[in-house]
Amino acid sequence: MHPIIIFSKMDFTQSNLFGYIEDLQELTIIERPVRRSLKTPEEIERLTVDEELNDIERAVYLLSSGQDIQGTSVVANLPVLMRQNPAETLRRVLPKIREVLHVAGVEMQLTAAVSFLTILQEESVSIHTYSHSFLHVILQNLEHRDAGVSNAWLETLLAVIEALPKETIRHEILNPLVSKAQLSQTLQSRLVSCKIMGKLANKFEAHIVKREILPLVKSLCQDVEYEVRTCMCRQLEHIAQGIGTELTKTVVLPELVELARDEGNSVRLAAFETLVNLLEMFDADDRSQTVLPLVKSFCEKSFKADESILVSLSFHLGKLCNGLYGIFTPEQHLRFLEFYKKLCTLGLQQENGHNDNQLQLQTLEQEKKYISVRKNCAYNFPAMIVFVDPKNFHLELYSTFFCLCHDPEVPVRYTMAMGFYEVAKLLNSGVYTIHKELVALLQDESLEVLDALVGHLPEILELMTNGGENSGSESKLLSVPDLIPALTTAEQRAATSLKWRTHEKLLQKYACLPHIISSDQIYYRFLHRMLTIILTNNVLPVQKAAARTLCVYLRYNRKQEQRHEVIQKLIEQLGQGKSYWNRLRFLDTCEFIMELFSKSFFCKYFFLPVLELTHDPVANVRMKLCCLLPKVKSTLKIPTDKLLLQQLELCIRKLLCQEKDKDVLTIVKRTVLELDRMEISVDGFQKRFYENDLLDQEKERQELLLLEMEQLEKEKQQNEGRSTNISDKMFEKKRRDSKMSSALAKNVPLSFPGSSSGTSAGKEGKKSKLVRSQSFSTQALHPKYSNIDKCPNRSAATGYTPSVSGMGKSSVLSFSDDSFRTRSTGNNGNTAFPSSSSLATSSRNSANSADQKNNGNKDSQSRKMSM
């Protein structure tokens, strides 16, 4: 079909007509590449393979008469053929591959190197068969004219050497290596020989290495080409590890000393790096007499040489300083420290009066290398703290630490953020000295820096707020007053950016805050922010991270009134929200609550609101709810939650009978089968649920402990206020009594004031005990939670009274009576569940109140009779 073009006004003048023709010509030009890409019948015929051929025959046919792309496909499929039929593959396919590789292109060569290595790693054939069939092909292609192909085959050979027996290595690799390493061979051949010798040094005994390999090593270290000397110098580390300490001292070290004075910068750089890596193998005399002078001259000449040497030096400086620490004099120690400080500010000094274009161009060329130097200094900063001793950090390195944390380049600050935790661990009790830098990195303009810092943020905050090992918990946040604003600013900046993964990671790490700051600070600064993110953010992983962190905050919140408010908002704004997206997030939040809280807590507050969503008008919500029902059922206990189990069964029956969506109905049927197979735990411990029951009991014990801690704090505040009032009254009474003491002395017995005061003290003691025992059961909710009482309470509806070993009866009553009740009405305003449980709750509460009044009257009558 051709597109229909409708012109509002057809103008066939000469100019417009030529314009239409040009447009048509452009369309034909666009179509030409499409036509050219089509295959002709002859090409299709050549690419067609008989379907009746098996895999081996098809591979042989494609390698013999197929095109290059088909041959490459066969080579890539070689490991599969070896797994299926190794004998036929070795007999028929591998010879064809050998023939093709002689004239093959780069792509097939690289594919063959990878396939040969895969066959070795998968152990499709024995190592003897592999060396007989594949080793010769690998050795033949080592000296390929393309450097990339040669390196690929070399990597395969080095991996093969690890698995080959010694005799095979000696005859097939070591003996030919003597001729390949000669000066008459090509540069590529000598470079390959250097890398092979580094691998062979660990495969043979020291005397064989000394007799057969070390002469070749010395020859290659003195090669006329600097590339060969550089390559061989980097292999001396592996050779030293293979020949041991004595031969390293007598053979390798002299070669390194000579190479360190080489005219080529790359050779000197390789010698320096090898010396640093071999420091542990040298004794104190070699370090002080040989290594240290070389290092000193290398550092002194580094600023005059190429900047690449400075990059390498800055990277290895931390390891070098700690490796030579024992032989440094105080002057040398100070000199290396000053050298490190100079590298930390390299490129940041601005010279006055030099604004030439040549200087600007030179600065632009050197800028990247200077940034790399400072980045390496930031990487080595923990090692330099060890070098100067953490006790001297503030005097020696704090100014450098400040400069690196405020470096104008992001990679430097990123590296400092990555190593901030290591620095904090080393400083230990002195960690308070770097709290300003922590705040600065949290508020950094680059989110990459924040992302690097967030990785160990919980550990950093714990060290920072506790002040190390020696200070107590009462000093929390005293040393970091700006921490909370910095944390909130970091979260807001991450939220407004497009890097939602950083925001998600930050929210996950903020779950550590209950162990860092107080419950009230979390409630007022972070908890409501998490709820806002759940309601307004558009990224699902961010919403889930905020939901889980919110549940953690709720778990450790120490005020029952605040917990009730959060639970009510979760139910009203998420579970009963207008947007189906919010109702889906409510189900996610319920999953986290089942993970973090006890079973009784979930059943008490969230069981019925979850079941209300079975009437949700959106199919996706009902579908997600059906997938969650097995977890919901696992929170029940029999016979305590018998009524809740009946509500669950009723909802499932309604779904089976009334559900019209096919997808939801399919999931409902699958869920019903899963629920039927589930076994519900009973009150008390069972062997099959022992670990889960034990964990649930511990969660419930901690929840009850939070309630008791809150009540004890209230009692403490009440007692303090009461003691203040009593002391004021006693003072006023003594003042009045002192005026009347002479008149009352004859009429009032001396023992009477004492007995009256004892009686009042006894009354106060009884009253305080009564308050402690009944405080949890008689607490009233805040007026704004008055609607909570409209919903059935789990403990009242089911007759459930949670019990924990070691807890008093008052605390048990407090958890069951002072509950947070949720609404049981659906979205349409009709009652979703029977109200018998609410009636039982009201009758039970009225009975309890009547009993308390009767008990109170009896107590008062008994006290009057005793008086």
Side-chain angles (χ1 to χ4, degrees), residues 692-703:
N692 294 333
D693 291 343
L694 195 64
L695 181 61
D696 183 69
Q697 188 187 41
E698 178 62 23
K699 292 178 182 178
E700 192 171 345
R701 186 189 69 81
Q702 293 175 3
E703 293 163 3

Side-chain angles (χ1 to χ4, degrees), residues 307-412:
E307 285 79 10
S308 59
I309 295 180
L310 280 177
V311 175
S312 176
L313 179 59
S314 61
F315 182 77
H316 292 90
L317 192 59
K319 187 176 181 179
L320 180 65
C321 290
N322 286 280
L324 299 175
Y325 180 80
I327 64 172
F328 278 150
T329 62
E331 182 182 358
Q332 291 171 342
H333 187 281
L334 182 61
R335 184 179 299 175
F336 272 87
L337 181 60
E338 292 299 325
F339 180 73
Y340 172 75
K341 292 180 181 179
K342 187 176 181 180
L343 290 179
C344 290
T345 58
L346 186 65
L348 298 180
Q349 297 89 352
Q350 295 181 357
E351 299 183 9
N352 297 326
H354 293 280
N355 294 323
D356 298 335
N357 294 332
Q358 183 178 0
L359 181 61
Q360 293 178 359
L361 292 174
Q362 185 179 3
T363 304
L364 291 175
E365 293 174 359
Q366 294 175 347
E367 185 177 2
K368 290 185 179 180
K369 293 182 179 179
Y370 287 161
I371 294 172
S372 300
V373 169
R374 300 201 302 273
K375 179 182 176 181
N376 291 337
C377 289
Y379 169 78
N380 281 300
F381 196 87
M384 297 308 294
I385 293 179
V386 177
F387 180 65
V388 302
D389 196 317
K391 297 178 181 179
N392 302 323
F393 167 77
H394 192 275
L395 182 63
E396 300 288 349
L397 283 176
Y398 176 72
S399 59
T400 305
F401 183 76
F402 177 85
C403 292
L404 290 174
C405 288
H406 293 82
D407 194 275
E409 299 298 332
V410 172
V412 182

Side-chain angles (χ1 to χ4, degrees), residues 641-760:
D641 301 323
K642 186 176 180 180
L643 294 180
L644 295 180
L645 179 61
Q646 293 176 359
Q647 299 285 0
L648 176 63
E649 294 174 349
L650 178 62
C651 291
I652 294 174
R653 291 194 195 99
K654 288 182 179 179
L655 284 172
L656 284 172
C657 299
Q658 301 175 3
E659 185 58 52
K660 297 179 180 179
D661 190 277
K662 294 181 180 180
D663 297 330
V664 178
L665 188 60
T666 302
I667 296 179
V668 170
K669 293 178 180 178
R670 190 189 311 158
T671 304
V672 168
L673 297 176
E674 186 176 353
L675 291 175
D676 289 340
R677 291 193 296 266
M678 288 182 61
E679 296 184 12
I680 303 179
S681 61
V682 299
D683 292 335
F685 289 95
Q686 293 176 288
K687 290 183 178 179
R688 69 187 70 178
F689 304 116
Y690 180 77
E691 293 183 1
N692 294 333
D693 291 343
L694 195 64
L695 181 61
D696 183 69
Q697 188 187 41
E698 178 62 23
K699 292 178 182 178
E700 192 171 345
R701 186 189 69 81
Q702 293 175 3
E703 293 163 3
L704 293 174
L705 185 61
L706 285 175
L707 292 173
E708 288 213 340
M709 290 172 64
E710 179 186 1
Q711 183 59 29
L712 290 175
E713 290 177 359
K714 289 183 179 180
E715 289 181 2
K716 183 178 180 181
Q717 295 174 358
Q718 292 175 1
N719 291 335
E720 289 176 355
R722 188 180 304 153
S723 62
T724 303
N725 296 332
I726 291 175
S727 62
D728 293 340
K729 291 179 181 179
M730 291 296 292
F731 177 76
E732 183 66 22
K733 182 178 180 181
K734 286 182 179 180
R735 189 176 63 82
R736 290 197 308 267
D737 291 346
S738 63
K739 296 179 180 179
M740 302 174 63
S741 58
S742 58
L744 296 176
K746 298 178 181 179
N747 300 328
V748 181
L750 295 176
S751 60
F752 184 75
S755 61
S756 64
S757 62
T759 305
S760 62

